[in-house]
Amino acid sequence: VRALVAASDAPKVDKRARNDGLFTNEPVRFIQIELPPENVTALKKDARTFVSCTVKEGGMTYTNVAVRLKGVGSFRPIDQKPSLSFKFNKFVAKQEFYGLSRIALNNSVQDLSYLNEVLCTEFFRDIGVPAARATHAWVHLNGRDLGMYLLLEGINKDFLRRNFKSDSGNLYEGYTQDIDEDLDQDNGEDISQSDLRTLAKAAREPNSNERWERLNKLMDVDRFISMMAGEILAIHWDGYWINKNNYRIYHDNATE
């Protein structure tokens, strides 16, 4: 897909095809971001709060797009080479970028090949583990050439609809935390996190036979094993296997 139409004009039947087209990795997208001075100042004061920007790509202009800085070890301030998170529909209802409401631009400062995330997320998808799709983009910010970035789809309802039966379940994100701690919750109306507590309790069941039975009722054990095997093969030092970091767990309530 080379041309992008406004979200309000795009037939729903084309939505998946449009975001599939974004991740063909050809050509490298050229993205221009324009931030007014007051919003640059705001991001210097609070990097995690969304402000408004304009995004231009492929002959299209997206106005009033929500953007904030992201990253921990890869974090860079706005006047360097920041990683960026975008919500196209936060300030403008139904606004989308290639059929997606949320994307990220990662600066890849921890991987100068710019290939690890693209190759490894594809590997995980090939073994049946949902993972965000990734491609490349060349980025300008207020006329400043920031160079190559990784463009990733957001882990939100768009992603859940693509990979699971339901998009209304509880979605959690772990940062150097295990499931027996309070995790960031990105989706779902039940904020008690009781489903995590139930899963953690089952994992601690001392009887191995009962533990296996309980875990199989509560989680997709086959895909969990595939995920762990994938992390070991990829030597994923910043994931769940080694660091209990940068992972997500989804309670698909349609499978109960």
Side-chain angles (χ1 to χ4, degrees):
V1 178
R2 295 293 179 263
L4 182 64
V5 297
S8 58
D9 300 327
K12 290 184 178 180
V13 69
D14 292 337
K15 185 170 182 175
R16 181 161 182 160
R18 284 187 290 132
N19 59 65
D20 280 346
L22 176 61
F23 297 103
T24 59
N25 216 32
E26 55 173 331
V28 173
R29 269 69 184 182
F30 175 49
I31 297 177
Q32 297 172 276
I33 305 162
E34 297 174 359
L35 269 169
E38 61 271 20
N39 288 350
V40 173
T41 300
L43 288 174
K44 288 181 178 179
K45 292 180 178 179
D46 185 355
R48 307 297 184 178
T49 297
F50 281 104
V51 299
S52 177
C53 73
T54 298
V55 174
K56 297 180 180 179
E57 189 279 331
M60 293 294 297
T61 298
Y62 306 85
T63 59
N64 210 14
V65 177
V67 63
R68 65 169 177 82
L69 276 57
K70 65 182 293 288
V72 181
S74 63
F75 178 86
R76 297 294 183 274
I78 188 66
D79 54 0
Q80 295 183 20
K81 187 179 181 179
S83 289
L84 303 162
S85 178
F86 298 87
K87 280 187 177 182
F88 281 79
N89 63 352
K90 184 175 179 64
F91 301 138
V92 179
K94 298 183 180 180
Q95 182 169 233
E96 294 177 332
F97 182 82
Y98 285 83
L100 298 172
S101 60
R102 188 162 190 172
I103 64 168
L105 289 173
N106 287 0
N107 56 21
S108 198
V109 295
Q110 295 170 313
D111 172 29
L112 297 183
S113 75
Y114 293 85
L115 291 175
N116 285 342
E117 200 148 17
V118 175
L119 295 176
C120 289
T121 54
E122 182 176 359
F123 163 66
F124 276 105
R125 291 193 298 276
D126 285 345
I127 62 174
V129 179
R133 292 169 294 171
T135 186
H136 295 95
W138 199 272
V139 178
H140 279 190
L141 174 60
N142 285 352
R144 183 164 57 96
D145 186 358
L146 299 183
M148 185 73 77
Y149 273 73
L150 287 170
L151 189 161
L152 290 95
E153 68 176 320
I155 308 296
N156 62 353
K157 285 186 179 293
D158 294 329
F159 179 88
L160 297 178
R161 281 191 290 269
R162 184 182 183 87
N163 291 282
F164 299 95
K165 294 181 179 180
S166 168
D167 66 358
S168 60
N170 296 338
L171 175 66
Y172 305 104
E173 189 167 1
Y175 296 104
T176 63
Q177 303 162 287
D178 213 331
I179 62 170
D180 58 350
E181 301 176 71
D182 289 332
L183 303 185
D184 286 352
Q185 185 167 341
D186 300 327
N187 195 72
E189 295 183 359
D190 180 1
I191 61 173
S192 69
Q193 303 202 2
S194 60
D195 47 2
L196 293 181
R197 308 291 176 260
T198 301
L199 181 58
K201 185 177 180 180
R204 291 183 174 127
E205 166 58 48
N207 183 286
S208 59
N209 290 330
E210 186 174 345
R211 179 171 64 246
W212 181 249
E213 183 177 347
R214 290 172 62 182
L215 286 174
N216 273 278
K217 289 180 180 179
L218 293 170
M219 66 183 296
D220 188 335
V221 173
D222 287 344
R223 283 212 285 191
F224 178 75
I225 292 172
S226 294
M227 184 195 78
M228 295 298 285
E231 289 204 343
I232 292 168
L233 288 170
I235 316 176
H236 186 16
W237 59 270
D238 201 27
Y240 185 78
W241 166 49
I242 290 179
N243 204 28
K244 298 191 294 292
N245 194 37
N246 288 328
Y247 71 92
R248 290 175 174 82
I249 180 168
Y250 181 57
H251 183 180
D252 188 351
N253 49 24
T255 62
E256 294 179 331

